[in-house]
Amino acid sequence: RKAHRQVQEKAEALKNEADEARKALEVCIRNLNQAEADKKIFDARKLQIKTFFDEHEQLNAIVGRLAEIYGASGSEKLKTVITRRFKNAAADICVHNERKTALETYLGQLDENNPAAVPRAVTEIVENLRRSNHFKCMCGSEYLKAADEERRGEVLERLPFLPYAVIVSEGFASLAGDTHFLEKYFADFTTPIVSMQTVESGENICGGILFTGDKRRLYVDEKAVSEEKEKIQKQISEEASALKRLLDQQETYLADLEQVHYFMNRYEKVYAQKLSELDALERRNLDEQKAAEAMKTEIERLTLCIEAAHQAEDRLREEEKEAAYKCTVSEKMIEVRGELTEAV
């Protein structure tokens, strides 16, 4: 019986040992599964960062080529150079656009037999006279525009300044005595005001006075007007070409500037951070790999322990059966001896 109890105690101890080993094995397997799941996450993040570095390398090469083209070193200087060129192109666009607009306006004036641009002062004087003093008046250019070629030639021969003058058809004598109006500021130059009577009378009031300028022939010579139009159209075409070239340049500058901005903000600014993150991931991944290898070794050890415990249990069961048999035989023999003793 004592041997039988000892076998049972050993079997119980082996069972407990196997149970503990199984629990430890389950923990190791869970930890290993978690480590493998974490590794997938680490690998995905590493792939993202390595993709970032690949893209950084490609964009860095592009920005490097732009730096060579613009003659700048470093992305910050490159951004400054491109920005300055963009602003310069914008300023040049304004200049050429103003020139083109002025030429187109002038071409329209030629089509209307009005080649001379009306000074702003003339327009303001006419509006002031009409509004404040109720005079009947017009710009000299308006008169010339409405006249036929012969009449324009005759009038300009006597009054070459007429395109830049004001013509008063009624109230000229009254205006001549209005010192307050005549001394009013309209421009830094004197604006001629002439009566309609003088314009139409044929009187020459400019004897002994010479005038410069090339616009007179454009009022009286159709060939000169045609040549002038051709010249202006050519200049308009040249300005349009210059504008297109500048707009294309500006578009290129803008695209290059956006490329540099994107590289600086999306890649260059966080490059060191990504490098540090990748290094940390590599080190953590190495630690995780070591831990995983240790867990695999432990799983193998625990598996062997459990198998050994099962084998020992099997052997103890055999020993237990044998001990139980011996115990039964022994008890039977004792019982038989007792019966024999009683018989004697």
Side-chain angles (χ1 to χ4, degrees):
R1 288 183 178 275
K2 182 178 180 181
H4 185 225
R5 282 196 305 271
Q6 288 177 342
V7 170
Q8 287 180 327
E9 289 172 358
K10 285 182 181 181
E12 186 66 26
L14 284 172
K15 181 178 178 302
N16 293 336
E17 182 181 336
D19 289 341
E20 291 298 323
R22 271 192 294 272
K23 291 178 182 178
L25 180 61
E26 289 174 0
V27 171
C28 283
I29 291 173
R30 282 199 302 270
N31 291 340
L32 184 60
N33 290 337
Q34 184 60 51
E36 289 175 349
D38 290 342
K39 186 178 183 302
K40 289 181 181 179
I41 296 173
F42 294 155
D43 290 343
R45 183 56 185 155
K46 279 169 59 180
L47 181 60
Q48 287 178 346
I49 296 176
K50 287 182 178 179
T51 301
F52 167 88
F53 285 125
D54 290 340
E55 293 171 353
H56 175 276
E57 185 177 357
Q58 293 172 3
L59 284 173
N60 190 49
I62 293 172
V63 172
R65 287 194 293 273
L66 288 176
E68 291 178 4
I69 293 170
Y70 287 98
S73 58
S75 53
E76 190 64 43
K77 288 184 179 179
L78 177 59
K79 183 182 74 171
T80 301
V81 170
I82 299 176
T83 301
R84 183 170 60 247
R85 291 198 186 184
F86 179 86
K87 290 180 179 178
N88 289 342
D92 289 342
I93 286 170
C94 288
V95 171
H96 285 280
N97 198 43
E98 287 175 1
R99 288 178 185 171
K100 181 172 176 287
T101 300
L103 288 167
E104 288 171 341
T105 300
Y106 179 46
L107 185 62
Q109 290 175 211
L110 290 173
D111 289 335
E112 296 177 353
N113 299 317
N114 185 28
V118 180
R120 181 181 297 178
V122 172
T123 304
E124 290 181 356
I125 291 171
V126 170
E127 292 175 353
N128 199 290
L129 286 172
R130 289 173 177 172
R131 184 178 61 252
S132 304
N133 300 289
H134 307 292
F135 289 95
K136 289 186 178 181
C137 54
M138 67 173 65
C139 300
S141 59
E142 292 180 14
Y143 177 87
L144 293 170
K145 184 168 62 174
D148 59 36
E149 185 176 320
E150 183 180 352
R151 179 61 178 164
R152 286 198 299 271
E154 185 274 323
V155 171
L156 287 171
E157 184 69 29
R158 293 184 296 108
L159 307 171
F161 60 84
L162 198 61
Y164 313 99
V166 175
I167 301 175
V168 177
S169 56
E170 290 185 14
F172 184 80
S174 173
L175 180 62
D178 191 345
T179 306
H180 175 72
F181 181 85
L182 294 176
E183 292 180 352
K184 190 174 181 179
Y185 177 83
F186 290 99
D188 289 334
F189 53 84
T190 298
T191 301
I193 300 178
V194 60
S195 69
M196 182 65 78
Q197 181 181 355
T198 300
V199 174
E200 296 185 340
S201 67
E203 179 183 358
N204 186 356
I205 63 173
C206 295
I209 303 175
L210 299 176
F211 296 89
T212 62
D214 63 346
K215 299 298 182 185
R216 181 180 176 279
R217 63 189 178 86
L218 297 177
Y219 282 98
V220 298
D221 188 341
E222 288 187 5
K223 182 180 179 181
V225 172
S226 178
E227 291 173 351
E228 183 74 357
K229 285 182 178 180
E230 186 177 343
K231 183 182 78 172
I232 297 305
Q233 286 170 341
K234 182 179 179 182
Q235 291 177 354
I236 290 173
S237 178
E238 290 172 352
E239 292 297 332
S241 297
L243 275 170
K244 184 179 183 307
R245 175 178 54 80
L246 286 166
L247 287 168
D248 289 343
Q249 285 181 354
Q250 196 178 44
E251 187 175 340
T252 299
Y253 294 148
L254 185 59
D256 291 345
L257 192 58
E258 288 176 349
Q259 185 84 283
V260 174
H261 268 295
Y262 181 74
F263 172 71
M264 292 177 66
N265 295 328
R266 176 67 177 80
Y267 292 91
E268 192 174 53
K269 187 181 291 185
V270 296
Y271 183 83
Q273 176 187 333
K274 296 291 184 183
L275 198 61
S276 177
E277 184 180 355
L278 181 61
D279 182 61
L281 282 173
E282 294 286 7
R283 284 187 278 106
R284 183 174 177 182
N285 191 38
L286 184 61
D287 292 340
E288 293 288 343
Q289 284 179 349
K290 290 179 180 179
E293 290 301 322
M295 280 187 282
K296 288 177 181 178
T297 301
E298 181 65 9
I299 288 172
E300 289 177 3
R301 187 189 69 80
L302 290 170
T303 302
L304 291 174
C305 286
I306 293 170
E307 289 177 358
H310 286 319
Q311 291 173 1
E313 282 185 80
D314 291 340
R315 288 195 300 272
L316 284 173
R317 286 194 190 96
E318 292 298 324
E319 291 178 10
E320 184 180 7
K321 288 179 183 179
E322 186 177 350
Y325 174 74
K326 288 179 178 179
C327 183
T328 301
V329 171
S330 177
E331 288 177 351
K332 193 69 174 172
M333 289 178 65
I334 292 171
E335 183 181 342
V336 170
R337 287 194 188 102
E339 290 176 356
L340 289 173
T341 302
E342 289 176 0
V344 174

